[in-house]
């Protein structure tokens, strides 16, 4: 079967200056109705780093009339009627972030701002925005299909642990009562979907789209040649049935009721999901939700196939205005200001870090743009983006330096089920670690007329970078503006093993190269390392050792992060189950140290900021409990002094009791919409 392309046979010759957000804009374009209305929790910025602009411009290129409803007031259905009844469907997303991650910190405190909102104002989208928006679309225009997608829908496509309610929730498809869920990078699925809808095929009959999920009656199979593999028992090996083709096999996960009641079953389901993530060998998944007559099977098709370089170029070179919609006036949108002079050069990540969900959304296979396309976008930034002064702030993506890297043998790649190409060491089958295509790109970018400086803002994967000293030299001498951020995440073997991150020795090798080439260029530059507190697999002793390392190396972190259990991440399965899904889960699995209590989480975070007097009382108490009084004192080997300075006698935030998740208003019951 041929892989469908996102490239249109004939590109729409009349793109809109901006996709319309009002009836007046539709009238100016001569539109009586929209084919698709996209609803998003973000401000509408017509830039390819914003998902709705990317999707909207792709559909526009295929001849569709696409409107956008941005950050509607969800307390009423009226704002969802602003552009009229769409001919094909509503497309709903929470925005570039999961709405709960957007609203709350890892300690479940309300965030004070929202980078994706004009003025940075918080509270412009509801909690669990995909669910609420879908309900309002249904209320506004009953009978219009609703397709959900984006990061929130992707990472909640099966039953998932929810940190904010501290329970396992059903698939978001069922809670939202949407018609179809598109996960991951959904461009290919969207183009196929609109083509078939235009041909008259009803949405409910479209059941073979890669990267889609839908609900069916229990026992449903696409055809008689399909085989179901029961993988519900962690104590029973999961083996492909003899004589059955993988592309005609569906793997049955433990049911929602089972994973909600049994954390070990949850870890098992998470392991199965991640093992079925390679689009070239993944099998379909099915998970029962409910019992009795109301039971439904959630069917999840294999992940989408990666886009070709030609498709990536086409997607990122649509006629974007490259600025916020004019309706926002001069309001500051922090997320746009952060990326407006940056360029995405690739998608995907094969790092497999367990705390990160990028691979569950974008995939492990790197999708690259051509050097020519990237250079053209740099020129477009120069010519079209307000305020450009010659500084390109990033050439990157999920990582800075996986550009054009891929398995050296397509046959091996098609069979591989590894969760990471770089852990526990860089795979021998990974080709291109010499970074030559990326070096050539950097040099070409510096030659674009009007460009004075190109810096790299995306995180450098330094375990790959040390394989190419030439790349490190190019990076350090031409593309670092004083400081370079990297993410060792920890220094101790046990936490790093549970993160699937390299040992600290690799950091030392990168640091040596960084310092050598900085000195050779006559530059005084710094490495700024990032670390995570309270990650599964981290003991109090490990955090004390990390704090000592920070002191010995002269690091005094200002902003630090505590582990946030995001939906679907492997580390979240560890956090919830107390078991390690990276290993076999038979016979109860392998236990994992988990930090759940507020006081211990505060301690781990405080140890990252060992230099802050506000944290000393908590650290001293912990050191005494651990039998490490030797670290309390004034000597060079001590971590904290025995007493606080007089100004710190009052209680501070480090000693405050843990605040529970506040009850946040969503959709009022009196308006007939269930709380998500």
């Amino acid at each position: 079967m041929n892989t469908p392309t996102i490239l249109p046979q004939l590109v729409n010759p009349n793109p809109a200056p901006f996709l319309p957000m009002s009836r007046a804009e539709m009238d100016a374009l001569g539109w009586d109705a929209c084919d698709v209305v996209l609803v998003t929790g973000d401000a509408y910025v017509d830039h390819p780093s914003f998902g709705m602009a990317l999707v909207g411009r792709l559909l526009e290129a295929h001849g569709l009339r696409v409107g956008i409803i941005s950050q509607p007031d969800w307390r009423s259905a009226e704002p969802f009627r602003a552009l009229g009844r769409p001919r094909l469907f509503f497309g709903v997303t929470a925005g570039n972030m999961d709405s709960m991650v957007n609203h709350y910190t890892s300690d479940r405190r309300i965030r004070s701002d929202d980078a994706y909102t004009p003025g940075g104002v918080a509270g412009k989208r509801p909690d669990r925005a995909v669910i609420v928006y879908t309900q309002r679309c249904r209320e506004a225009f009953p009978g219009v299909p609703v397709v959900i997608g984006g990061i929130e829908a992707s990472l909640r496509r099966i039953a998932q642990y929810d940190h904010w309610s501290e329970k396992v929730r059903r698939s978001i498809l069922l809670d939202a009562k949407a018609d179809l869920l598109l996960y991951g990078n959904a461009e290919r699925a969207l183009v196929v979907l609109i083509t078939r809808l235009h041909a008259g095929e009803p949405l409910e009959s479209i059941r073979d789209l890669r990267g889609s999920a839908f609900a069916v009656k229990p026992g449903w199979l696409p055809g008689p040649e399909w085989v179901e593999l029961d993988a519900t028992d962690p104590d029973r090996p999961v083996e492909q049935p003899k004589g059955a083709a993988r592309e005609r096999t569906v793997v049955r996960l433990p049911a929602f009721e089972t994973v909600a009641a049994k954390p070990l079953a949850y870890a098992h389901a998470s392991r199965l999901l991640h093992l079925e993530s390679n689009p070239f060998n993944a099998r379909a998944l099915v998970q029962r939700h409910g019992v009795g007559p109301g039971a439904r099977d959630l069917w999840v098709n294999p992940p989408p196939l990666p886009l070709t370089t030609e498709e990536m170029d086409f997607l990122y070179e649509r006629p974007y205005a490259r600025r916020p919609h004019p309706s926002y006036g001069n309001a500051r949108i922090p997320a746009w200001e952060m990326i407006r002079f940056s360029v995405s050069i690739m998608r995907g990540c094969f790092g497999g870090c367990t705390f990160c969900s990028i691979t569950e959304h974008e995939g492990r296979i790197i999708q690259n743009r051509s050097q020519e396309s990237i250079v053209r976008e740099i020129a477009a930034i120069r010519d079209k983006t307000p305020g450009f002064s010659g500084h390109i702030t990033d050439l990157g993506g999920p990582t800075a330096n996986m550009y054009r890297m891929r398995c050296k043998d397509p046959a091996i790649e098609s069979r591989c089920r590894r969760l990471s190409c770089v852990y526990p060491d860089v795979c021998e089958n990974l080709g291109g670690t010499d970074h030559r295509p990326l070096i050539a790109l950097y040099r070409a970018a510096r030659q674009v007329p009007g460009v004075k400086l190109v810096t790299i803002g995306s995180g450098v994967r330094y375990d790959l970078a040390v394989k190419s000293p030439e790349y490190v030299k190019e990076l350090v001498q031409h593309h670092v503006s004083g400081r370079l951020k990297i993410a060792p995440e920890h220094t101790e073997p046990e936490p790093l093993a549970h993160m699937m991150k390299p040992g600290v020795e690799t950091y030392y090798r990168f640091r040596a190269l960084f310092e050598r080439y900085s000195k050779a260029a006559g530059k005084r530059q710094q490495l700024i390392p990032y670390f995570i507190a309270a990650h599964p697999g981290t003991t109090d002793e490990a955090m004390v050792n990390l704090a000592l390392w920070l002191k010995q190396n002269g690091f005094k972190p200002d902003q630090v992060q505590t582990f946030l259990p995001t939906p679907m991440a492997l580390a979240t399965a560890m956090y919830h189950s107390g078991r390690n899904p990276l290993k076999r889960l038979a016979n109860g699995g392998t236990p994992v140290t988990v930090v759940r209590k507020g006081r211990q989480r505060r301690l781990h975070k405080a140890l990252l900021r060992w230099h802050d007097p506000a944290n000393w009382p908590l650290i001293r108490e912990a050191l005494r409990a651990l039998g490490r009084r030797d670290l309390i004192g004034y000597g060079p080997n001590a971590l904290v002094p025995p007493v606080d300075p007089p100004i710190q006698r009052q209680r501070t935030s480090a000693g405050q009791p843990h605040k529970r998740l506040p009850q946040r208003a969503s959709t009022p019951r009196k308006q007939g919409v269930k709380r998500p």
Side-chain angles (χ1 to χ4, degrees):
M1 182 177 178
N2 293 329
T3 302
T5 179
I6 70 166
L7 303 175
Q9 293 181 348
L10 180 65
V11 179
N12 185 342
N14 298 307
F18 284 87
L19 301 177
M21 293 211 300
S22 67
R23 281 283 192 172
E25 291 173 84
M26 290 172 60
D27 292 341
L29 293 168
W31 297 4
D32 59 342
C34 292
D35 297 305
V36 174
V37 171
L38 304 176
V39 181
T40 177
D42 290 342
Y44 169 35
V45 179
D46 199 47
H47 186 284
S49 291
F50 286 73
M52 283 298 94
L54 197 84
V55 168
R57 290 297 190 181
L58 173 64
L59 297 180
E60 177 191 56
H62 282 265
L64 270 66
R65 297 178 174 183
V66 182
I68 290 186
I69 297 177
S70 168
Q71 298 188 318
D73 183 350
W74 68 92
R75 298 169 185 84
S76 164
E78 195 56 35
F80 295 78
R81 299 188 180 104
L83 303 183
R85 184 185 185 94
R87 290 193 176 105
L88 295 180
F89 58 83
F90 277 107
V92 171
T93 177
N96 276 17
M97 292 179 66
D98 180 281
S99 59
M100 299 303 286
V101 176
N102 180 279
H103 282 159
Y104 302 104
T105 69
S106 60
D107 295 322
R108 303 188 184 95
R109 293 187 173 93
I110 297 178
R111 298 188 191 273
S112 59
D113 57 6
D114 182 345
Y116 292 90
T117 298
V121 178
K124 292 296 184 180
R125 75 188 86 206
D127 286 357
R128 313 194 191 283
V130 167
I131 297 174
V132 177
Y133 288 163
T134 300
Q135 292 169 350
R136 286 311 192 202
C137 289
R138 295 283 196 208
E139 185 179 344
F141 293 105
V144 173
V146 179
V147 178
I148 60 176
I151 194 80
E152 181 164 297
S154 284
L155 301 186
R156 297 176 181 271
R157 59 186 181 263
I158 65 170
Q160 85 286 163
Y161 175 75
D162 181 76
H163 177 58
W164 299 272
S165 58
E166 296 185 293
K167 68 178 184 180
V168 176
R169 293 179 64 96
R170 302 194 308 167
S171 164
I172 196 171
L173 176 79
L174 299 174
D175 280 348
K177 298 181 174 61
D179 296 278
L180 188 68
L181 183 155
L182 299 181
Y183 70 88
N185 297 134
E187 292 91 1
R188 203 183 297 284
L190 273 170
V191 170
V192 175
L193 179 63
I194 61 171
T195 301
R196 292 168 67 171
L197 291 175
H198 267 304
E201 190 173 349
L203 189 145
E204 60 270 16
S205 70
I206 300 175
R207 295 291 183 246
D208 57 348
L209 290 180
R210 278 182 165 272
S212 68
F214 47 88
V216 291
K217 293 181 179 179
W220 178 88
L221 290 172
E225 72 280 11
W226 278 74
V227 174
E228 180 180 302
L229 172 58
D230 186 351
T232 58
D233 186 352
D235 290 323
R236 187 172 62 224
V238 180
E239 298 179 357
Q240 177 67 18
K242 291 183 179 180
R246 294 184 70 87
E247 62 271 17
R248 295 290 183 269
T249 301
V250 60
V251 178
R252 181 165 290 279
L253 305 177
F256 163 70
E257 285 73 19
T258 302
V259 298
K262 299 178 180 180
L264 181 64
Y266 181 88
H268 177 56
S270 177
R271 175 182 173 84
L272 291 171
L273 175 85
H274 287 82
L275 287 173
E276 301 296 335
S277 61
N278 183 339
F280 298 116
N281 63 42
R283 295 167 289 194
L285 304 173
V286 65
Q287 185 178 52
R288 182 70 50 85
H289 282 62
V291 295
R296 303 286 281 171
D297 270 353
L298 173 76
W299 186 282
V300 183
N301 280 326
L305 294 171
L307 298 180
T308 65
T309 294
E310 184 183 13
E311 289 173 316
M312 286 284 286
D313 289 352
F314 177 82
L315 188 62
Y316 281 87
E317 291 193 78
R318 296 298 84 228
Y320 302 102
R322 306 194 67 85
R323 59 184 184 274
H325 189 274
S327 63
Y328 302 126
N330 294 321
R332 175 177 175 268
I333 301 176
W336 176 67
E337 293 188 352
M338 183 176 70
I339 56 85
R340 62 176 170 164
F341 305 131
S342 67
V343 180
S344 294
I345 65 174
M346 43 76 72
R347 281 183 181 175
C349 178
F350 48 71
C353 302
T354 62
F355 53 82
C356 179
S357 298
I358 288 174
T359 51
E360 283 69 64
H361 183 62
E362 294 195 1
R364 289 180 171 81
I365 296 174
I366 305 303
Q367 302 164 69
N368 309 281
R369 295 175 62 186
S370 69
Q371 177 177 301
E372 294 76 16
S373 174
I374 295 165
V375 168
R376 286 194 295 269
E377 183 170 352
I378 293 173
I381 292 173
R382 176 196 63 200
D383 298 338
K384 297 178 64 175
T385 304
F388 182 66
S389 61
H391 181 190
I392 297 295
T393 56
D394 192 21
L395 298 176
T399 68
N401 60 317
M402 288 185 181
Y403 182 66
R404 294 203 173 279
M405 292 187 186
R406 191 166 184 175
C407 187
K408 65 183 181 183
D409 187 341
I412 295 174
E413 182 180 63
S414 67
R415 297 192 302 269
C416 183
R417 287 163 65 81
R418 281 183 58 161
L419 300 183
S420 171
C421 299
V422 293
Y423 183 85
D425 199 358
V426 176
C427 179
E428 62 181 9
N429 294 312
L430 182 63
T433 55
D434 62 2
H435 293 67
R436 282 180 295 182
L438 189 55
I439 293 170
L441 173 61
Y442 286 0
R443 292 172 178 171
R446 298 201 302 269
Q447 298 303 313
V448 175
V451 172
K452 302 174 184 176
L453 178 65
V454 179
T455 53
I456 304 305
S458 297
V460 174
R461 188 78 195 202
Y462 58 85
D463 49 352
L464 289 172
V466 295
K467 302 288 185 180
S468 175
E470 183 185 4
Y471 168 72
V472 180
K473 180 180 180 180
E474 190 79 17
L475 172 72
V476 170
Q477 296 191 345
H478 298 284
H479 300 284
V480 176
S481 183
R483 295 183 173 187
L484 180 69
K485 298 176 182 178
I486 58 172
E489 310 298 2
H490 217 284
T491 58
E492 301 305 292
E494 194 69 10
L496 289 171
H498 288 84
M499 297 174 182
M500 293 212 302
K501 292 283 289 186
V504 72
E505 297 81 10
T506 307
Y507 165 79
Y508 292 140
R509 290 200 295 273
F510 181 80
R511 185 178 69 181
L513 291 171
F514 180 88
E515 292 174 348
R516 181 203 307 173
Y517 294 127
S518 292
K519 183 178 180 180
K523 295 184 175 183
R524 299 184 63 181
Q525 301 183 138
Q526 289 181 296
L527 278 180
I528 307 298
Y530 277 66
F531 299 93
I532 297 179
H535 190 279
T538 307
T539 61
D540 294 352
E541 292 86 349
M543 286 304 302
V544 170
N545 289 339
L546 173 54
L548 287 169
W549 185 92
L550 290 171
K551 181 179 180 181
Q552 291 163 2
N553 285 273
F555 290 120
K556 296 181 178 181
D558 183 20
Q559 294 181 332
V560 297
Q561 56 182 335
T562 307
F563 169 67
L564 173 59
T566 53
M568 205 174 286
L570 278 166
T572 300
M574 297 179 196
Y575 178 89
H576 175 57
S577 69
R579 296 294 183 270
N580 189 351
L582 298 175
K583 300 181 179 180
R584 289 292 301 274
L585 293 163
N587 302 316
T590 304
V592 175
T593 300
V594 176
V595 180
R596 289 194 181 90
K597 295 181 180 179
R599 183 176 182 81
Q600 192 180 16
R601 285 173 68 84
R602 290 198 302 276
L603 169 64
H604 283 209
K605 185 176 182 179
L607 284 163
L608 287 181
R609 288 182 47 78
W610 59 272
H611 56 283
D612 186 348
N615 294 324
W616 291 350
L618 186 60
I619 294 174
R620 273 197 301 267
E621 182 181 345
L623 292 175
R624 294 187 185 107
L626 292 170
R628 297 302 309 270
R629 292 175 182 267
D630 59 301
L631 299 180
I632 303 173
Y634 294 106
N637 296 324
L639 189 58
V640 294
V643 296
D644 297 339
I647 196 171
Q648 293 294 333
R649 293 293 185 186
Q650 60 188 1
R651 287 186 82 188
T652 64
S653 59
Q656 292 292 343
H658 178 62
K659 293 182 180 179
R660 302 297 295 170
L661 175 67
Q663 293 298 313
R664 190 181 174 90
S666 61
T667 307
R669 289 183 183 275
K670 66 181 181 180
Q671 293 176 315
V673 179
K674 295 180 180 178
R675 293 181 184 273

